[in-house]
Amino acid sequence: MLDVNNTTYYTLNEVRDSFDCSKDGLWLPLISEFTWHPYARTAVYLIGLLWCFMGVAILADVFMCSIEKITSKTRIITIASTSKAGTEEIEIRVWNDTVANLTLMALGSSAPEILLSIIEIVGNNFNAGELGPSTIVGSAAFNLLVITAVCVVVIDSSEVRVIKSVKVFFITAFSCIFAYIWLIVILVAITPDFVDIWEAVITLLFFPILVLIAYVADKDFCSKAQKISNSMELGFDDAQTKLLDKYKHLWKDGKVDKNLIAQILKEIGKSHHLSDEDKARLAAARIAEEQKKSRGWYRVNASRKLFGGKSLAPRLNPQLSEVYDDMKAKDTVISDQGSAYHGSLVDLSDKGRIAVLEFTASSVAVLEREQKCKVGIRRYGKKDNQVAFRLETIDGSATAGEDYIPVKQTLAFQPGQTYIEYVVEIIDDNVYEPDETFFIKMALEPEQEALLGKKSINMITIINDDEPGTLEFAHPSFVFKESVGKALVAVNRVNGADGRIQVSWKTEDMTAINGRDFEGGEGVLVFEHGEIAKAIEIPIYDDQDAEKDEHFKVTLSDPTDGAQLGSKVKTIVTIVNDEDYQGIVSRLVNLTSLNIDALKVDSASYAQQFENAMNVNGGDLESATSFDYLMHFLTFGWKIIFAIVPPVHFCGGWLTFICALIMMIFMTIIVGDLASIFGCLCGLEKPITAITFVALGTSLPDLFASKQAAEMEATADNSVGNVTGSNSVNVFLGLGLPWSVAAVYHYVKSGSAFYVPAGALAFSVLLYAIFAVVCLGLLIFRHYVFPKGELGGATWFKWVTFAIMVVMWLLYIIVSSLQVDGKITSPF
């Protein structure tokens, strides 16, 4: 301040510091807000804070993409094999999954909280702040209690999700409680309100110790009996060596396997009039569903779905979704040897280590007069143990007690037994009814060392046989290769199967000529009593000439003995020569590969990166919703700004990692300033602002990622199993690193210890630790007692679990806030 000629002049800093809450930020406010109304300032800072939370989430998407690229790195090694060559090349991951989840993945998902703690101390002249540590504890409470609660209830009541890596989970679960108890010990017991260098360094060293112990548990080094294999002798775990074996039939020479596309073409090409683009999209969706996904994948995909970005999973319109569901119900693919098999693209039995139970078919049909329906149940994989399971019927259009005898029974596969035939009783009422359906569902009894296969529900169709039935072609069109020999044109008999009936058929030339391209004419197809499916056999001539697709028509007419014709009385048969057929397959291979490339986490170039940033859904306008457009509009600026980060294929993802980390530092400073000033304007203390607004803003993308992982994964590892590890890393890295630097700084400068008032922080940590013990105890109960899984299970119990966890989180917020406001006295 200067006085000149009786006039007072103020410096910029003095003007800036002359209004409320002007000293709470490192960079903000940038201009004088002296004349602003307090309510207007509060609204501006709230909107700015929410908008910056969106920016942080989008930047975290870029950050996680680089981490996903780094941790997904693989290399080829050669091992001995029983093949003729004597060796085999296999692809293994360089990064162990557990190590990746506890290091780079944890850093990626918790980067805002960790950086906020570090920046706050550095910007405060290495003095302790309140926003950073409280945000870490608040985020830990939200992650463990709220995210876990949501993951529990989103699973259907008929299913459960179990944590597979139990040893690693127990280690990280213990660590996520120990880390916070350790804070109380050093802040309250050893050196109250001070942190010595050795305390801070030990806190930091707990981070690599946790990673090492979890790695040892994951590799099972301490097990008394280890199964020795080539992979273990080489120092790789089974998950690494299975990487190529599990998915090698999907890819050949960097493209989708032609055999797989040929099978998908067989599954959908005959029964649905779809374009090649739609078929390729379906194939991409099928392959993408089966590919292994990491925690980073779910984090990135959740963020993009939330903010209208390019999705990592194909979005199908309602028509394609219906076809896709039908494909999954059939669940037939081509193996790498080229032979057809039924089941998932991935071997659920883990190469025979786990017993897998499923129905032999996803649907069966039975004549009402037979009064019995035989349902086959098979067991594959591990066969030397007993597996108990339950069968229960569910009404469809058929009603229990009127159309069939309901089933609710427990059965068991004995050691060595691989097949059970179960009989469901059908009620023959001698009254004409249309064909009706019901379902029989399989579920494992508790404590079974087994999994359910993809065909765990069987649809049973009761075919009314009190009427002769209706005859029609199975499909409106058929496609056959020229070399097929005989075309089998399927005819179905529906809505009755009583008595012996006949139907006439006749071929009609189109571009294909009878006697030159096929042996046609006319004939009679006979259905004996009870028969519901027959085929017209038409020989196809292979002339070895390159020709265009040729067609002929087949028509049904003159059914006998009261039978009727259905809607599909004409069908078109298309003959394609083998070269054309392979051309169709090759075209679909290329289209599918393009669809798969579009689902990759990384962008191939700057041009593609900016194109994805500027277009809603990355350019997929067909599947964009109104919400996608709204969020894309709100976040458009952030997407363009962060598109300048180098694409992840540069330097193996490390250049992207460094650039995104630098940007994250700047974003964290802005968020910290906005949160501090907003809390000040609202009259909230920094710890309250931290555990509410900041913790929620930084953790919401993790909530959506975990929810998505819970719904899509067969286990609970990627949904709740990683929460405990992240909570531990937040303390060891987010507090251990800045506290170590600050402790050294104060010791060198003044010979004193680093002052960290226990007060509100220790009280908040104590509350978290108590609730964490209850939460983890409940998860352990669910794992071992009822319902034998951390997620899902009985409706009443999963909602009880949800209520307990959410109430604990609310109590944590309320009690911590009351203590900060002085309504409750802290014992520390």
Side-chain angles (χ1 to χ4, degrees):
M1 181 177 66
L2 296 175
D3 287 324
V4 180
N5 297 327
N6 296 321
T7 302
T8 302
Y9 295 92
Y10 295 91
T11 65
L12 180 61
N13 288 334
E14 288 173 330
V15 173
R16 177 186 171 188
D17 295 342
S18 63
F19 49 91
D20 292 339
C21 307
S22 60
K23 299 180 181 180
D24 288 72
L26 293 177
W27 290 353
L28 301 180
L30 296 176
I31 61 175
S32 173
E33 300 170 4
F34 181 79
T35 60
W36 293 19
H37 193 281
Y39 290 163
R41 292 184 66 202
T42 304
V44 168
Y45 277 95
L46 175 60
I47 294 172
L49 182 62
L50 296 178
W51 190 58
C52 284
F53 280 146
M54 295 181 187
V56 168
I58 292 172
L59 181 56
D61 170 0
V62 179
F63 197 44
M64 289 298 292
C65 284
S66 68
I67 293 172
E68 178 72 10
K69 180 70 173 181
I70 293 168
T71 57
S72 63
K73 183 180 180 181
T74 61
R75 62 191 182 96
I76 303 296
I77 65 168
T78 303
I79 63 172
S81 72
T82 57
S83 63
K84 293 182 179 180
T87 60
E88 179 184 3
E89 287 188 344
I90 64 171
E91 186 178 7
I92 62 168
R93 287 185 180 272
V94 175
W95 282 77
N96 173 269
D97 287 343
T98 297
V99 174
N101 286 335
L102 288 176
T103 53
L104 292 181
M105 289 293 181
L107 176 61
S109 62
S110 302
E113 297 98 314
I114 294 173
L115 289 174
L116 183 61
S117 176
I118 295 173
I119 291 168
E120 185 179 37
I121 286 180
V122 174
N124 202 25
N125 294 322
F126 294 97
N127 293 314
E130 295 178 300
L131 196 66
S134 295
T135 298
I136 285 177
V137 183
S139 295
F142 182 86
N143 293 344
L144 185 60
L145 300 175
V146 178
I147 290 181
T148 302
V150 171
C151 290
V152 169
V153 297
V154 297
I155 303 302
D156 188 83
S157 300
S158 62
E159 302 176 14
V160 293
R161 300 283 192 274
V162 182
I163 291 176
K164 183 179 180 182
S165 302
V166 177
K167 292 181 180 179
V168 175
F169 173 72
F170 276 130
I171 290 170
T172 56
F174 169 80
S175 177
C176 87
I177 297 175
F178 167 79
Y180 294 85
I181 293 177
W182 170 251
L183 291 182
I184 298 176
V185 170
I186 62 177
L187 291 177
V188 177
I190 302 178
T191 53
D193 295 330
F194 286 93
V195 176
D196 289 335
I197 293 177
W198 70 269
E199 293 171 329
V201 171
I202 288 179
T203 303
L204 180 60
L205 289 178
F206 279 139
F207 171 60
I209 291 173
L210 169 63
V211 175
L212 178 61
I213 295 175
Y215 175 72
V216 170
D218 180 56
K219 300 282 284 185
D220 210 15
F221 286 144
C222 300
S223 177
K224 291 183 179 180
Q226 288 195 37
K227 184 176 179 180
I228 303 299
S229 64
N230 287 340
S231 60
M232 294 185 68
E233 290 171 359
L234 289 168
F236 306 115
D237 58 16
D238 288 337
Q240 289 172 311
T241 56
K242 286 186 291 186
L243 177 64
L244 181 62
D245 291 337
K246 185 177 284 189
Y247 303 108
K248 65 183 180 182
H249 66 274
L250 301 181
W251 302 94
K252 286 187 178 179
D253 301 323
K255 288 189 176 182
V256 182
D257 183 14
K258 281 190 176 182
N259 288 330
L260 178 62
I261 298 300
Q263 182 60 32
I264 293 175
L265 180 64
K266 179 181 177 182
E267 288 296 319
I268 64 178
K270 297 178 183 178
S271 50
H272 300 281
H273 295 288
L274 299 175
S275 65
D276 287 350
E277 289 75 15
D278 285 340
K279 293 175 184 177
R281 186 180 285 257
L282 287 171
R286 189 73 175 106
I287 294 170
E289 181 184 12
E290 296 292 345
Q291 287 182 310
K292 183 178 180 181
K293 301 173 182 66
S294 67
R295 171 73 179 176
W297 187 94
Y298 288 108
R299 181 65 164 73
V300 171
N301 195 46
S303 177
R304 294 187 181 182
K305 288 180 68 175
L306 186 61
F307 299 116
K310 188 189 77 169
S311 177
L312 300 182
R315 295 188 178 185
L316 306 178
N317 60 40
Q319 178 193 2
L320 290 182
S321 296
E322 183 179 344
V323 178
Y324 183 67
D325 292 339
D326 183 57
M327 286 174 56
K328 291 205 297 183
K330 294 176 181 177
D331 208 22
T332 305
V333 297
I334 291 292
S335 70
D336 53 316
Q337 285 81 19
S339 60
Y341 73 97
H342 292 273
S344 170
L345 294 174
V346 178
D347 180 15
L348 296 177
S349 71
D350 195 15
K351 295 189 175 180
R353 297 180 179 89
I354 301 173
V356 180
L357 275 58
E358 66 179 3
F359 292 110
T360 55
S362 58
S363 63
V364 295
V366 60
L367 295 172
E368 189 179 64
R369 66 177 179 81
E370 293 182 358
Q371 300 184 22
K372 291 183 179 180
C373 177
K374 297 178 180 180
V375 179
I377 306 167
R378 68 167 183 148
R379 188 252 291 265
Y380 68 92
K382 187 177 182 181
K383 303 173 184 177
D384 59 355
N385 61 328
Q386 184 185 60
V387 180
F389 62 97
R390 299 187 309 277
L391 292 179
E392 183 175 359
T393 51
I394 304 171
D395 284 354
S397 56
T399 304
E402 297 179 6
D403 301 303
Y404 68 94
I405 303 300
V407 172
K408 195 171 185 179
Q409 185 175 351
T410 298
L411 304 174
F413 277 95
Q414 300 302 321
Q417 187 179 12
T418 59
Y419 181 80
I420 291 177
E421 187 176 79
Y422 187 80
V423 177
V424 181
E425 295 187 33
I426 306 299
I427 298 175
D428 187 0
D429 53 16
N430 293 318
V431 177
Y432 174 74
E433 296 171 306
D435 295 349
E436 298 176 306
T437 60
F438 66 98
F439 304 89
I440 184 166
K441 178 181 177 181
M442 184 190 312
L444 293 174
E445 290 288 352
E447 299 184 359
Q448 303 301 308
E449 296 182 2
L451 293 174
L452 289 180
K454 288 295 184 79
K455 295 189 283 289
S456 60
I457 297 178
N458 191 305
M459 182 178 73
I460 300 176
T461 301
I462 304 174
I463 300 174
N464 180 70
D465 55 0
D466 299 315
E467 293 288 335
T470 300
L471 299 172
E472 62 182 7
F473 287 111
H475 309 297
S477 64
F478 294 83
V479 178
F480 297 101
K481 290 191 295 183
E482 194 176 46
S483 60
V484 71
K486 286 185 178 181
L488 301 179
V489 182
V491 179
N492 290 339
R493 181 186 192 181
V494 298
N495 296 330
D498 185 46
R500 184 178 188 272
I501 62 172
Q502 299 180 3
V503 64
S504 300
W505 60 269
K506 182 179 180 180
T507 63
E508 180 182 339
D509 292 354
M510 296 175 71
T511 55
I513 306 300
N514 181 19
R516 187 191 71 185
D517 301 306
F518 68 98
E519 185 178 324
E522 56 187 44
V524 174
L525 192 63
V526 178
F527 284 81
E528 298 295 340
H529 177 71
E531 289 185 337
I532 58 174
K534 299 294 285 288
I536 302 171
E537 296 185 3
I538 302 177
I540 303 297
Y541 299 146
D542 186 358
D543 55 16
Q544 304 296 325
D545 291 333
E547 301 171 309
K548 295 182 178 180
D549 294 352
E550 298 171 317
H551 318 279
F552 65 91
K553 184 188 300 182
V554 185
T555 305
L556 297 177
S557 63
D558 303 324
T560 64
D561 299 301
Q564 298 180 349
L565 293 177
S567 58
K568 295 190 285 288
V569 296
K570 296 182 180 181
T571 189
I572 303 297
V573 177
T574 300
I575 307 171
V576 297
N577 63 49
D578 290 355
E579 291 79 11
D580 288 344
Y581 185 79
Q582 293 301 322
I584 294 172
V585 173
S586 296
R587 186 164 63 252
L588 284 176
V589 166
N590 293 331
L591 286 172
T592 304
S593 296
L594 289 175
N595 276 274
I596 292 293
D597 289 340
L599 300 177
K600 288 182 178 179
V601 170
D602 55 319
S603 299
S605 64
Y606 264 117
Q608 184 182 5
Q609 199 158 275
F610 275 95
E611 181 182 351
N612 292 336
M614 296 177 69
N615 291 283
V616 64
N617 280 358
D620 183 14
L621 304 182
E622 181 182 350
S623 58
T625 64
S626 299
F627 181 77
D628 292 330
Y629 278 102
L630 173 63
M631 298 308 296
H632 180 69
F633 172 76
L634 294 176
T635 59
F636 182 80
W638 292 124
K639 292 178 180 179
I640 297 299
I641 292 172
F642 299 138
I644 67 175
V645 176
V648 298
H649 68 273
F650 290 157
C651 305
W654 285 106
L655 182 59
T656 308
F657 178 86
I658 295 171
C659 293
L661 183 60
I662 294 172
M663 284 191 167
M664 185 67 76
I665 292 173
F666 290 111
M667 286 297 298
T668 304
I669 294 174
I670 296 173
V671 167
D673 285 1
L674 289 169
S676 298
I677 298 173
F678 170 73
C680 176
L681 291 171
C682 293
L684 298 176
E685 297 291 339
K686 285 189 177 181
I688 299 177
T689 305
I691 65 175
T692 52
F693 290 97
V694 183
L696 265 66
T698 56
S699 298
L700 276 179
D702 290 313
L703 170 63
F704 291 106
S706 293
K707 175 181 176 293
Q708 190 179 55
E711 293 170 330
M712 296 179 63
E713 290 275 310
T715 68
D717 295 77
N718 270 333
S719 52
V720 300
N722 288 324
V723 168
T724 52
S726 296
N727 284 358
S728 306
V729 172
N730 285 356
V731 171
F732 298 149
L733 198 58
L735 294 181
L737 179 59
W739 283 6
S740 296
V741 175
V744 171
Y745 173 85
H746 283 281
Y747 180 79
V748 172
K749 182 179 179 181
S750 60
S752 62
F754 175 44
Y755 176 66
V756 181
L761 178 60
F763 186 81
S764 177
V765 167
L766 178 62
L767 280 179
Y768 164 80
I770 294 172
F771 291 143
V773 170
V774 177
C775 175
L776 294 172
L778 184 56
L779 289 179
I780 293 172
F781 176 86
R782 291 179 58 90
H783 183 94
Y784 287 103
V785 181
F786 180 80
K788 299 293 183 179
E790 286 78 7
L791 310 181
T795 302
W796 69 270
F797 191 59
K798 72 178 185 180
W799 282 106
V800 168
T801 304
F802 175 85
I804 292 173
M805 292 182 177
V806 171
V807 167
M808 287 194 296
W809 178 71
L810 292 174
L811 286 174
Y812 165 80
I813 296 295
I814 295 170
V815 176
S816 295
S817 300
L818 290 175
Q819 188 276 325
V820 172
D821 283 339
K823 303 296 190 298
I824 296 177
T825 303
S826 172
F828 309 117

